[in-house]
Amino acid sequence: ARSLDKLYNFADCSGLHLIFALNALRRNPNNSWNSSNALSLLKYSASKKYNISWELGNEPNNYRTLIGRSVNGSQLGKDYIQLRSLLQLIRTYSRANLYGPNIGRPRKNVIALLEGFMKVAGSTVDAVTWQHYYIDGRVAKVTDFLKTRLLDTLSDQIRKIQKVVNTYTPGKKIWLEGVGATSAGGMNNLSDSYAAGFLWLNTLGLLASQGIDVVVRHSFLDHGHNHLVDQNFNPLPDYWLSLLYKRLIGPKVLAIHVAGLQRKPRPGRVIRDKLRIYAHCTSYHNHNYVQGSITLYIINLHRSRKKIKLAGTLRDKIVHQYLLQPYGKDGLHSKSVQLNGQPLAMVDDGTLPELKPRPLRAGRTLVIPPLTMSFYVVKNVNALACRYR
C-alpha cells in the first residue's frame, strides 16, 4: 500500500496518468490467474479514489523462464476477461481502461501467443500493447546506433503486430508500451548517451507515421541505463530530446517529399537513407507559434553536413532552429547536450532552462551538421491541415 501511495502521488504531482501492471505470475494449479492479491490491491486503490488504468503482466512470452510454466494466448485472454470482470465489480474502476498483453518482440512464438489472445480477449482491451528493444545490451557499441539497418528493424515489427490486430479487431489502437535502445537494462555510456538519441527520435517519427500514437519509454529513473535522468535527477540526452519533442511536435503527421532522397532502388540494393526527415503540425500547446505552423525534425547519420532548401510555400518563411549536439569531449558518448551551441542544464532542482531557438532568415538553406538531431519550426505557414485541432 505504501509503495502504491508513493507511486500514485508521484504520477499525480507530475500531471501524469498511472497505468499499473498487476502481477500475472500468481497462477492456480490449473494455470489460470490467481486474482486474490490483485483484488486486495484494487479495493485499496478504490478506497483512495485513485484514477488508474490497468494491465496484467509483462512479456508473457517469458513466463516459462520466470516461473517454469508457460501461458498460452487463449489462457492469457481468459485471464484478461477475469480482470475486466473484477474491474466491473468495483465502482471506481467499472469504466477503467485496460491494456495488454504487453508481449515482447514479435517472433514466431510471440505472434502465435498474440493471435490466441486476440481471438479470446481482443475486444476486452482498450489498446494492444507490445515492446521493442533494438540491440542486445551485452554487445552494444556506439557505432550500432548509427546503423540504418538497425533503425529500420522497427518497421517490420509494426507490420507484424498490425496484421494480427487488424485480423481480429480492425481499428483497435496499438501502443508501443516498452521501448529502449538496448535490452538487458542497457549499457552504461551507450544507451544513456547522446548516440542513443538517434534510435529514440527515429522511433517516435516512425511510429507516428504508422498511426501509433502512444509510446511508453523504458525508463524514467534507476532501472539499468536506458533511463532519462541520472541518479541525481540530472536530465540525460534523451530527456532533452523528449522535452523538445513534446514542446514542438503536435499529433498531426504530415506527408513530406524530399527531392534527392526519393531515389529508385536498383535490383538487389536496399536504399537505407542516412538523412531522415519527419514533419508534423507544431504543437497546439506551444504558444510561441500560431496554429498553422509546421515542425520538421531531422536525423543526420552522415559524417558530413547536409544542406536542405525549403520549397514552395515554405521557402519565404522564418524558421526557428533547435539543433542538438553532444557537449564536452566525449562526443557521441556524451551524457550532456548543447542546444544551438549552449549547454543544457537545470537552472535549479525545479526549473528547466529556457529552450531558445536560433531564428533563421526566410529563404535560408538549412545546414544540418554531421551526426546530429534537429528541429525546425517553419513559422506562420498557415498550413490548412494544421489550422484546426
Side-chain angles (χ1 to χ4, degrees):
R2 283 193 297 274
S3 297
L4 181 61
D5 292 341
K6 286 179 184 177
L7 184 62
Y8 187 82
N9 288 335
F10 166 76
D12 197 40
C13 289
S14 305
L16 302 171
H17 178 71
L18 181 63
I19 302 171
F20 192 98
L22 295 161
N23 186 355
L25 298 179
R26 296 170 67 91
R27 318 297 297 179
N28 294 314
N30 66 356
N31 214 25
S32 64
W33 177 50
N34 184 331
S35 61
S36 57
N37 181 259
L39 184 59
S40 301
L41 188 138
L42 287 168
K43 286 178 176 175
Y44 173 78
S45 56
S47 74
K48 306 282 272 190
K49 294 188 166 49
Y50 288 159
N51 177 21
I52 299 177
S53 294
W54 302 94
E55 192 164 47
L56 180 59
N58 176 57
E59 292 195 80
N61 42 291
N62 288 335
Y63 287 175
R64 178 177 289 284
T65 309
L66 293 168
I67 58 169
R69 61 167 100 163
S70 58
V71 177
N72 63 30
S74 110
Q75 179 58 58
L76 193 64
K78 291 172 188 171
D79 298 339
Y80 264 78
I81 290 169
Q82 184 183 347
L83 174 54
R84 176 60 85 186
S85 299
L86 284 185
L87 294 173
Q88 287 169 343
L89 288 174
I90 299 168
R91 182 180 295 176
T92 306
Y93 300 121
S94 59
R95 295 187 177 181
N97 284 338
L98 178 60
Y99 306 112
N102 209 2
I103 54 170
R105 193 181 301 183
R107 296 187 177 98
K108 196 171 181 181
N109 64 318
V110 179
I111 288 294
L113 191 151
L114 180 61
E115 286 177 334
F117 175 84
M118 294 302 298
K119 273 182 200 170
V120 174
S123 60
T124 304
V125 291
D126 295 280
V128 175
T129 58
W130 62 293
Q131 299 188 23
H132 177 76
Y133 294 92
Y134 283 95
I135 306 172
D136 182 336
R138 292 176 290 276
V139 297
K141 52 188 184 294
V142 74
T143 51
D144 286 337
F145 297 112
L146 311 179
K147 291 177 180 173
T148 53
R149 187 185 298 275
L150 184 71
L151 269 64
D152 292 338
T153 57
L154 184 58
S155 297
D156 182 48
Q157 313 238 340
I158 295 168
R159 283 192 292 272
K160 287 179 180 176
I161 298 288
Q162 286 174 329
K163 184 180 177 183
V164 174
V165 171
N166 290 328
T167 298
Y168 295 99
T169 53
K172 176 74 69 177
K173 282 188 177 297
I174 300 170
W175 290 5
L176 184 58
E177 210 199 59
V179 63
T182 60
S183 61
M187 291 283 282
N188 190 25
N189 295 323
L190 287 173
S191 46
D192 50 3
S193 70
Y194 176 85
F198 296 119
L199 285 183
W200 180 222
L201 189 57
N202 190 67
T203 297
L204 294 173
L206 190 63
L207 290 170
S209 68
Q210 296 282 343
I212 292 178
D213 53 4
V214 173
V215 183
V216 179
R217 164 73 185 225
H218 277 186
S219 56
F220 180 68
L221 173 74
D222 208 33
H223 173 71
H225 300 285
N226 283 326
H227 45 244
L228 293 175
V229 300
D230 68 17
Q231 297 299 313
N232 299 313
F233 291 93
N234 294 311
L236 290 162
D238 276 4
Y239 181 94
W240 297 115
L241 191 56
S242 305
L243 181 62
L244 275 168
Y245 190 94
K246 294 291 277 189
R247 293 265 178 98
L248 300 175
I249 304 297
K252 274 194 183 173
V253 184
L254 303 175
I256 191 165
H257 178 82
V258 187
L261 275 191
Q262 268 80 2
R263 296 165 293 168
K264 289 183 180 177
R266 295 201 298 268
R269 180 168 177 258
V270 178
I271 292 176
R272 297 188 184 277
D273 288 316
K274 289 191 169 189
L275 190 68
R276 297 179 179 233
I277 305 174
Y278 298 98
H280 287 231
C281 297
T282 303
S283 173
Y284 300 119
H285 300 296
N286 193 321
H287 302 302
N288 295 321
Y289 302 110
V290 297
Q291 286 189 23
S293 300
I294 70 169
T295 302
L296 309 172
Y297 48 111
I298 301 174
I299 300 167
N300 183 12
L301 293 168
H302 290 276
R303 296 183 181 273
S304 58
R305 69 180 188 172
K306 296 295 167 185
K307 295 181 178 180
I308 295 172
K309 285 189 82 72
L310 299 179
T313 53
L314 308 184
R315 183 183 292 134
D316 58 350
K317 303 299 180 188
I318 291 173
V319 175
H320 277 184
Q321 172 187 276
Y322 298 83
L323 172 64
L324 279 177
Q325 292 173 287
Y327 177 68
K329 63 183 186 305
D330 294 326
L332 293 175
H333 285 279
S334 179
K335 294 186 183 180
S336 301
V337 295
Q338 51 186 324
L339 177 65
N340 298 323
Q342 297 298 312
L344 288 177
M346 296 290 287
V347 176
D348 57 45
D349 279 354
T351 312
L352 290 162
E354 190 180 350
L355 302 176
K356 288 183 181 175
R358 181 187 171 203
L360 306 178
R361 61 176 167 75
R364 178 170 170 175
T365 299
L366 307 182
V367 179
I368 320 294
L371 301 177
T372 56
M373 294 162 275
S374 48
F375 298 81
Y376 294 90
V377 180
V378 188
K379 297 183 66 181
N380 307 323
V381 180
N382 204 24
L384 183 62
C386 303
R387 281 189 223 161
Y388 311 103
R389 295 194 187 194

